[in-house]
Amino acid sequence: LTGSLPGVTASMADASVAGDVDTVIDDVRRLLGGLDVLVNNAGIAGPTGPIDGLEPVDWDRTVAVNLNSQFLFARRALPLLKDSAQPAIIAMSSVAGRLGYAFRTPYASTKWAIVGLVKSLAIELGPQGIRVNALCPGPVNTPLLQELFAKDPERAARRLVHVPMGRFAEPEELAAAVAFLASDDSSFITGATFPTSCVCLGSTCTWRDEHAFTAPDCIQATWLYPEGFLVSIANNLGNSAGSLVCGLL
């Protein structure tokens, strides 16, 4: 990284370990002299499966990396951010942090928790001039996603059905959203969650039946409107079962 990007400094750490986070922040202070923007981007996919088949150790690891790391970095970066003229914290959540994600409960739970963390910190730190926002991306065209869908092209095609743009987001597009939230153009935006892809999420059924684990014909679509009105439709095309849920968020 440092070789390909002149002027970039790297510090290796396990983001879920408090002592490692302390070292990173100390390096920032020593090498950069201060901090204007903290982007909390550490995360793992976590286990996939029904809740009664998950191991506590896998749940704990997902929470440690996805959620605890954001707390640890925000906590230690705060003294540096208070000295900045334009301080901001940008947290990486997910579309899974606004919707349910069957059989990915640990991941979705951490992403929901990040949204709560962001909204709480925005209120807490706003009087000190520190803005806190979250990005909620859907699938991004990274090497990890490419490898996953190369093994299962049909799964990729099913995911794209629910993306109006007809493609996955590019990392540069997500970076542009981060740059916006770090800039003066968003100087009065805090406590917000920004979806950076389609908000219609197709995954699996919201109920358990004989199709729930494969569910090629099971669709869940949810639309979130600006007014806070939620419409969620779940329909198993393999039979007539379905549901419609509407309400205010």
Side-chain angles (χ1 to χ4, degrees):
L1 179 65
T2 56
S4 60
L5 297 173
V8 171
T9 298
S11 182
M12 295 183 62
D14 183 335
S16 68
V17 176
D20 284 12
V21 173
D22 291 345
T23 298
V24 171
I25 298 301
D26 290 341
D27 287 345
V28 169
R29 187 191 304 272
R30 176 174 56 85
L31 296 172
L32 303 179
L35 182 66
D36 296 314
V37 179
L38 170 66
V39 181
N40 275 326
N41 192 39
I44 59 175
T48 299
I51 189 69
D52 57 354
L54 301 180
E55 294 295 332
V57 64
D58 294 326
W59 172 278
D60 291 343
R61 180 60 179 165
T62 307
V63 171
V65 175
N66 291 5
L67 177 61
N68 294 356
S69 65
Q70 302 226 9
F71 156 70
L72 293 172
F73 268 100
R75 168 180 167 272
R76 284 290 281 112
L78 190 56
L80 295 179
L81 292 170
K82 288 179 177 179
D83 291 335
S84 171
Q86 299 173 314
I89 298 174
I90 301 167
M92 199 62 63
S93 181
S94 168
V95 169
R98 306 305 293 148
L99 309 172
Y101 202 161
F103 308 108
R104 294 291 302 282
T105 304
Y107 178 82
S109 297
T110 60
K111 296 304 182 177
W112 274 93
I114 289 168
V115 171
L117 176 67
V118 161
K119 291 185 176 295
S120 298
L121 287 180
I123 298 170
E124 180 179 333
L125 302 180
Q128 301 173 59
I130 301 174
R131 297 183 299 106
V132 189
N133 293 290
L135 290 179
C136 297
V140 180
N141 189 27
T142 61
L144 180 63
L145 192 74
Q146 293 167 9
E147 179 182 355
L148 175 65
F149 288 145
K151 300 176 182 177
D152 191 352
E154 291 185 2
R155 182 180 179 187
R158 290 198 303 270
R159 293 295 293 271
L160 283 175
V161 167
H162 307 289
V163 181
M165 299 295 289
R167 63 174 178 83
F168 297 130
E170 294 297 327
E172 293 80 5
E173 293 170 316
L174 200 59
V178 172
F180 167 72
L181 290 176
S183 72
D184 286 342
D185 292 335
S186 62
S187 59
F188 203 65
I189 297 175
T190 193
T193 54
F194 284 79
T196 52
S197 70
C198 170
V199 188
C200 301
L201 178 65
S203 55
T204 187
C205 285
T206 53
W207 57 86
R208 180 170 181 168
D209 59 20
E210 65 273 19
H211 304 291
F213 292 96
T214 54
D217 297 321
C218 186
I219 298 173
Q220 177 184 343
T222 303
W223 292 264
L224 299 177
Y225 290 94
E227 296 81 3
F229 194 73
L230 168 69
V231 177
S232 181
I233 302 174
N235 183 37
N236 186 342
L237 303 182
N239 57 45
S240 59
S243 65
L244 170 65
V245 179
C246 302
L248 291 175
L249 296 179

